[in-house]
Coordinates of all heavy atoms in Angstrom, one line a residue:
Y163 N 8.2 -13.1 12.6 CA 9.0 -14.0 11.8 C 10.1 -14.7 12.7 O 10.8 -14.0 13.4 CB 9.7 -13.3 10.6 CG 8.7 -12.6 9.7 CD1 8.3 -11.3 10.0 CD2 8.1 -13.2 8.7 CE1 7.3 -10.6 9.2 CE2 7.2 -12.6 7.9 CZ 6.8 -11.3 8.1 OH 5.9 -10.7 7.3
D164 N 10.2 -16.0 12.5 CA 11.2 -16.7 13.3 C 12.5 -16.7 12.5 O 12.9 -17.7 11.9 CB 10.7 -18.2 13.5 CG 11.7 -18.9 14.4 OD1 12.6 -18.3 15.0 OD2 11.6 -20.2 14.5
G165 N 13.2 -15.6 12.5 CA 14.4 -15.4 11.7 C 14.4 -14.2 10.9 O 13.4 -13.9 10.2
K166 N 15.4 -13.4 10.9 CA 15.4 -12.1 10.3 C 15.4 -12.2 8.7 O 15.1 -11.2 8.0 CB 16.6 -11.2 10.7 CG 18.0 -11.8 10.4 CD 19.0 -10.9 11.0 CE 20.4 -11.4 10.7 NZ 21.5 -10.5 11.2
W167 N 15.8 -13.3 8.2 CA 15.9 -13.5 6.7 C 14.7 -14.3 6.2 O 14.6 -14.5 5.0 CB 17.2 -14.2 6.3 CG 18.4 -13.4 6.6 CD1 19.2 -13.5 7.7 CD2 18.9 -12.3 5.9 NE1 20.3 -12.6 7.6 CE2 20.1 -11.8 6.5 CE3 18.5 -11.6 4.7 CZ2 20.8 -10.7 6.1 CZ3 19.3 -10.6 4.2 CH2 20.4 -10.1 4.9
L168 N 13.8 -14.7 7.1 CA 12.7 -15.6 6.7 C 11.8 -15.0 5.6 O 11.5 -15.6 4.6 CB 11.9 -16.1 7.9 CG 10.7 -17.0 7.6 CD1 11.2 -18.2 6.9 CD2 10.0 -17.3 8.9
L169 N 11.4 -13.7 5.8 CA 10.5 -13.1 4.9 C 11.1 -13.0 3.5 O 10.5 -13.3 2.5 CB 10.1 -11.7 5.4 CG 9.2 -10.9 4.5 CD1 7.9 -11.7 4.1 CD2 8.8 -9.6 5.1
G170 N 12.4 -12.6 3.4 CA 13.1 -12.6 2.1 C 13.1 -13.9 1.4 O 12.8 -14.0 0.2
A171 N 13.4 -14.9 2.1 CA 13.4 -16.3 1.5 C 12.0 -16.7 1.1 O 11.8 -17.3 0.0 CB 13.9 -17.3 2.6
F172 N 11.0 -16.3 1.9 CA 9.6 -16.6 1.5 C 9.2 -15.9 0.2 O 8.6 -16.6 -0.7 CB 8.7 -16.1 2.7 CG 7.3 -16.7 2.7 CD1 7.1 -18.0 3.0 CD2 6.2 -15.9 2.3 CE1 5.8 -18.6 3.0 CE2 4.9 -16.5 2.3 CZ 4.7 -17.8 2.6
I173 N 9.6 -14.7 0.1 CA 9.2 -13.9 -1.1 C 9.9 -14.5 -2.4 O 9.3 -14.7 -3.4 CB 9.6 -12.4 -1.0 CG1 8.8 -11.8 0.1 CG2 9.5 -11.7 -2.3 CD1 9.3 -10.4 0.5
S174 N 11.2 -14.9 -2.2 CA 11.9 -15.5 -3.3 C 11.4 -16.8 -3.8 O 11.6 -17.2 -5.0 CB 13.4 -15.6 -2.9 OG 13.6 -16.7 -2.0
R175 N 10.6 -17.5 -3.0 CA 10.1 -18.8 -3.4 C 8.7 -18.7 -4.0 O 8.0 -19.7 -4.3 CB 10.0 -19.8 -2.2 CG 11.4 -20.1 -1.7 CD 12.3 -20.7 -2.7 NE 13.7 -21.0 -2.3 CZ 14.1 -22.2 -2.0 NH1 13.3 -23.2 -2.0 NH2 15.4 -22.3 -1.6
C176 N 8.2 -17.5 -4.1 CA 6.9 -17.2 -4.8 C 7.2 -16.8 -6.2 O 7.3 -15.6 -6.5 CB 6.1 -16.2 -4.0 SG 5.8 -16.5 -2.3
K177 N 7.3 -17.7 -7.1 CA 7.8 -17.5 -8.5 C 6.9 -16.7 -9.4 O 7.4 -16.1 -10.4 CB 8.2 -18.8 -9.1 CG 9.2 -19.6 -8.4 CD 10.5 -18.9 -8.2 CE 11.6 -19.7 -7.6 NZ 12.9 -18.9 -7.4
V178 N 5.6 -16.6 -9.1 CA 4.7 -15.8 -9.9 C 4.1 -14.7 -9.1 O 3.0 -14.1 -9.5 CB 3.6 -16.7 -10.6 CG1 4.3 -17.7 -11.5 CG2 2.8 -17.4 -9.5
L179 N 4.6 -14.3 -8.0 CA 4.1 -13.2 -7.1 C 4.0 -11.9 -7.9 O 5.0 -11.5 -8.5 CB 4.9 -13.1 -5.9 CG 4.4 -12.1 -4.8 CD1 3.1 -12.6 -4.2 CD2 5.5 -11.9 -3.7
E180 N 2.8 -11.3 -7.9 CA 2.6 -10.0 -8.6 C 2.3 -8.9 -7.7 O 2.7 -7.7 -8.0 CB 1.5 -10.2 -9.6 CG 1.8 -11.2 -10.7 CD 0.7 -11.2 -11.7 OE1 -0.4 -10.6 -11.5 OE2 0.8 -11.9 -12.8
E181 N 1.7 -9.1 -6.5 CA 1.4 -8.0 -5.6 C 1.7 -8.4 -4.2 O 1.3 -9.4 -3.7 CB -0.1 -7.7 -5.7 CG -0.6 -6.5 -4.8 CD -2.0 -6.1 -5.1 OE1 -2.6 -6.6 -6.1 OE2 -2.5 -5.3 -4.3
L182 N 2.5 -7.5 -3.6 CA 3.0 -7.8 -2.2 C 2.8 -6.6 -1.3 O 3.2 -5.5 -1.7 CB 4.5 -8.1 -2.2 CG 5.2 -8.2 -0.9 CD1 4.7 -9.4 -0.1 CD2 6.7 -8.4 -1.1
T183 N 2.2 -6.8 -0.2 CA 2.0 -5.7 0.9 C 2.6 -6.2 2.2 O 2.3 -7.3 2.6 CB 0.5 -5.4 1.1 OG1 -0.1 -5.0 -0.1 CG2 0.3 -4.3 2.1
I184 N 3.5 -5.4 2.7 CA 4.1 -5.7 4.0 C 3.9 -4.5 5.0 O 4.1 -3.4 4.6 CB 5.6 -5.9 3.8 CG1 6.0 -7.1 2.9 CG2 6.3 -6.1 5.2 CD1 7.4 -7.2 2.6
V185 N 3.3 -4.9 6.1 CA 3.1 -3.9 7.2 C 3.9 -4.3 8.4 O 3.7 -5.3 9.0 CB 1.6 -3.8 7.6 CG1 1.4 -2.7 8.6 CG2 0.8 -3.5 6.4
T186 N 5.0 -3.6 8.7 CA 5.9 -3.9 9.7 C 5.3 -3.5 11.1 O 4.5 -2.5 11.1 CB 7.3 -3.3 9.6 OG1 7.2 -1.8 9.6 CG2 7.9 -3.7 8.2
D187 N 5.8 -4.1 12.1 CA 5.2 -3.8 13.5 C 6.3 -4.1 14.5 O 7.3 -4.8 14.3 CB 4.0 -4.7 13.7 CG 3.2 -4.2 14.9 OD1 3.4 -3.0 15.4 OD2 2.3 -4.9 15.4
H188 N 6.1 -3.5 15.7 CA 7.1 -3.7 16.8 C 7.2 -5.2 17.1 O 6.2 -5.9 17.3 CB 6.7 -2.9 18.0 CG 7.5 -3.2 19.2 ND1 8.7 -2.7 19.4 CD2 7.2 -3.9 20.3 CE1 9.2 -3.1 20.5 NE2 8.3 -3.8 21.1
G189 N 8.4 -5.7 17.2 CA 8.6 -7.1 17.7 C 8.4 -8.1 16.6 O 8.2 -9.3 16.9
D190 N 8.3 -7.7 15.3 CA 8.1 -8.7 14.2 C 9.4 -9.5 13.9 O 9.3 -10.5 13.1 CB 7.6 -8.0 13.0 CG 8.5 -6.9 12.4 OD1 9.7 -6.9 12.8 OD2 8.0 -6.1 11.7
G191 N 10.5 -9.1 14.5 CA 11.7 -9.9 14.3 C 12.5 -9.6 13.0 O 13.5 -10.2 12.8
L192 N 12.0 -8.6 12.3 CA 12.7 -8.3 11.0 C 13.8 -7.3 11.2 O 13.7 -6.3 12.0 CB 11.7 -7.7 10.0 CG 10.6 -8.6 9.5 CD1 9.6 -7.9 8.6 CD2 11.3 -9.7 8.6
E193 N 14.9 -7.5 10.5 CA 16.0 -6.5 10.5 C 16.3 -6.1 9.0 O 16.6 -4.9 8.8 CB 17.3 -7.1 11.1 CG 17.2 -7.4 12.6 CD 18.5 -8.0 13.1 OE1 19.6 -7.8 12.5 OE2 18.5 -8.5 14.3
V194 N 16.2 -7.1 8.1 CA 16.4 -6.8 6.7 C 15.2 -7.5 5.9 O 14.9 -8.6 6.2 CB 17.7 -7.3 6.2 CG1 17.9 -7.1 4.7 CG2 18.9 -6.6 7.0
V195 N 14.7 -6.8 5.0 CA 13.7 -7.4 4.1 C 14.2 -7.3 2.7 O 14.4 -6.2 2.1 CB 12.3 -6.7 4.2 CG1 11.3 -7.3 3.2 CG2 11.8 -6.8 5.6
L196 N 14.5 -8.5 2.1 CA 14.9 -8.5 0.7 C 13.7 -8.8 -0.2 O 13.1 -9.9 -0.1 CB 16.0 -9.6 0.5 CG 16.4 -9.9 -0.9 CD1 17.0 -8.7 -1.5 CD2 17.4 -11.1 -0.9
V197 N 13.3 -7.9 -1.0 CA 12.2 -8.0 -1.9 C 12.8 -8.4 -3.3 O 13.0 -7.5 -4.1 CB 11.3 -6.8 -2.0 CG1 10.1 -7.0 -2.9 CG2 10.8 -6.4 -0.6
G198 N 13.1 -9.6 -3.4 CA 13.7 -10.1 -4.7 C 12.7 -10.9 -5.4 O 12.4 -12.0 -5.1
S199 N 12.2 -10.4 -6.5 CA 11.2 -11.1 -7.3 C 11.3 -10.6 -8.8 O 11.2 -9.4 -9.1 CB 9.8 -10.8 -6.7 OG 8.8 -11.3 -7.6
K200 N 11.3 -11.6 -9.7 CA 11.3 -11.3 -11.1 C 9.9 -11.1 -11.7 O 9.8 -10.6 -12.8 CB 12.0 -12.4 -11.9 CG 13.5 -12.5 -11.6 CD 14.2 -13.7 -12.4 CE 15.6 -13.8 -12.0 NZ 16.3 -14.9 -12.8
S201 N 8.9 -11.4 -10.9 CA 7.5 -11.3 -11.4 C 6.7 -10.1 -10.7 O 5.7 -9.8 -11.2 CB 6.8 -12.6 -11.1 OG 6.8 -12.9 -9.7
L202 N 7.3 -9.6 -9.6 CA 6.5 -8.6 -8.8 C 6.2 -7.3 -9.6 O 7.1 -6.7 -10.2 CB 7.3 -8.2 -7.5 CG 6.5 -7.5 -6.5 CD1 5.4 -8.3 -5.9 CD2 7.4 -7.0 -5.3

Side-chain angles (χ1 to χ4, degrees):
Y163 303 90
D164 185 14
K166 62 182 181 180
W167 296 100
L168 177 58
L169 178 54
F172 196 72
I173 294 170
S174 69
R175 296 305 177 100
C176 303
K177 299 302 183 182
V178 297
L179 186 66
E180 295 183 355
E181 182 172 349
L182 172 64
T183 301
I184 299 173
V185 183
T186 63
D187 196 13
H188 173 74
D190 56 20
L192 291 173
E193 294 182 16
V194 178
V195 178
L196 174 59
V197 182
S199 172
K200 294 181 179 180
S201 58
L202 192 65

